[in-house]
Amino acid sequence: MRDTAADTRVVYTDCTLCYHSCGCKVTVENGRAVAVEGLESHPLNRGRLCPRGEAALENVYHPDRILNPLKKVEGGFREISWEQALDEIAARLDRLRREFGPQVLGMFSGSIGVENLEMAGLAQRFKAAFGSPNFFSVESVCYRMRIRARQITFGKYPTEELDSKLYILWGHNPDASDFPLKLAIERNLARGAKLVVIDPRRIPLADRADLYLRIRPGSDAAMALAMIHEIVASELYDRRFVEAFAIGFDRLVEHVRPFTPEWAEELTWVPAERIRELARWMARTKGASIYQGTCTQDQTAAGVQASRAFSVLQVITGNINVPGGWVISPRPRFGNVGLGVSGDPLGSDEYPLFVDLWGRKSPYGVVTKVPEAVPERLKAFYVVGGNPLVSMPDSNAFREAFRRLDLLVVHDLFLTETAREAHYVLPACSHLEKWGVAYTYNVCHCLPYMMLRKRCIEPLGESRSEWWVFTQLARRLGLEEHFPWRTEEEFVRFELETTGLTFDELLHEKPEGAFYGEKRYEMPPSLPTPSGKIEIYSEAMACAGAAPLPVYLEPERSPLGAPPELRQRYPLILTTGHRNYYYTHSQFRGIRRLVQHSPEPYAEIGPETAALQGLRDGDLAEIETDRGRVRMRVRVDPRVAEGVVFVPHGWEGDRNANRLTDARCREPIFGYPQMKALLCAVRRVGC
């Protein structure tokens, strides 16, 4: 819509400030965005925005934005031209390629290609065109574990719907991390839906829950196995569904006999009777769904096994492809941006299932192996839209590794902690300054919906999109044939041409977005697994040397799993990374209206734990592990499980939680860091 007299227009686009990509309306006056509101017609957020979305323009027009290319000179930065920056970066990359081979380049994307398809797709294309297999992203610590575990079981990725009859929030706090789900739960509780919360913290939603279970961090797989035991032993499983669509149930019956609720109680802190109660409740509800926390189970020793156990629970209760359960929703078919490349990414030898499943290869390397790979295997690193020195485990090890690189390039909006270590920093466009496709709704909330992300305003200063930068670098490196699109719009047209929705259709006829497919609840005649059925027993896991049926693995560094000397020095359980409603990881921490709500991080502990450590609410404390130390104030809260310390992530400097974590403490199947169940000590500063 456009008011020509005042040169005012309203653009329908998506938010992109987190993976939800809510629909929004951007008002533009004389080329400047002046307002952002929720888009009422959007099926995800229905006209509402979270505080980050409401503050989007403060981020776009922030005075600290990088608006010119920067080069590190004598320990500081000076502005240079794009021509100089691109020429020098290309020359260094070309020299390294000639001297050591193209595989010495590592590419890191802050997006997995869901909320920012173009960022991840183009980064993957560039590294492949260059000749390197080494692509890293948040996929190595977040979300991909559950996707892969469900693919191993179903061949596809069934997704939790927004609407359910029984919400089992398992380490998931929608108030802080899942705005659309929060809205849906509010609607459906009023209609009679039931709610269960499983969490070491009594989150606010637990006060409205029908059942709250306080669980020990890292023990989720044990409780899931006990629930499976109860359902099988009591013959509450959906016999018709299991016999028609699954294989391996007969092996499961014998496998779970030892995993009684009493066995799980000792490991999880959850009373056996409550485990039985939840198991029976889930078995008797059609339309029940487990909602995993974004990384809650992934970042533990039993991460893959927990996700597999959750899959089995959904299967044996018949809660697959039913309204309110896990549903296999149609995926859009985009134009193929990927390129083949010889060689396997870093970590594929130790963690083959992360890369290769039934010959279907993914491009992701195992990011926890990066620090030890520099400089022998990796000598150059390109970071686009990410801040790995804050978001990845073991920040101290990553920082030391980055300082050994021959070349570190960062393409971002702000001078992040990672950018400050770079040789070159390139100014990036915000989501309002570039074209793209928004389709995250399907992956995260089971909505086969799509929007065109419109360029609402011209790029500020000298900021440039990922398409522009990679195209320019490719030309300088003799790779221009792999980047044939003359404009960014032409590239997005290419992405959309096989989806059934065209660029022009989404720009002019359906600017608010459209459903590109129909979700069906019946089970397909065959699934893309080797057997064509749901594989409760996984030959793929067995061939990779992993347990083919879900098992429990105790965290390496826990009160039960760590060596005695480590337990004595670090007597408390550390869990990091719980979400903050006002920030997305390390982003938006300079936005005034958000900082007013959350000005500093707090380590959360229970009152008995605080008393034993000589701490009072508000004290400045030092939290220590065998990898490092951080300082932040403590919040003493009876909602927190005793013996557990919650440390938030995303803060920089000596408040960076990943100074405490260890890239070498890995989940054994996918190589994920065990960031949710470590050991620590806490002491008041000055003692």
Side-chain angles (χ1 to χ4, degrees), residues 158-175:
T159 308
E160 306 92 322
E161 296 194 295
L162 286 171
D163 299 320
S164 185
K165 293 181 181 177
L166 173 58
Y167 293 92
I168 302 175
L169 301 182
W170 205 315
H172 192 33
N173 183 10
D175 281 320

Side-chain angles (χ1 to χ4, degrees), residues 149 254 278 355 410 419 509 518 648:
E254 291 301 316
L278 177 56
V355 175
V410 173
E509 299 172 35
E518 183 180 354

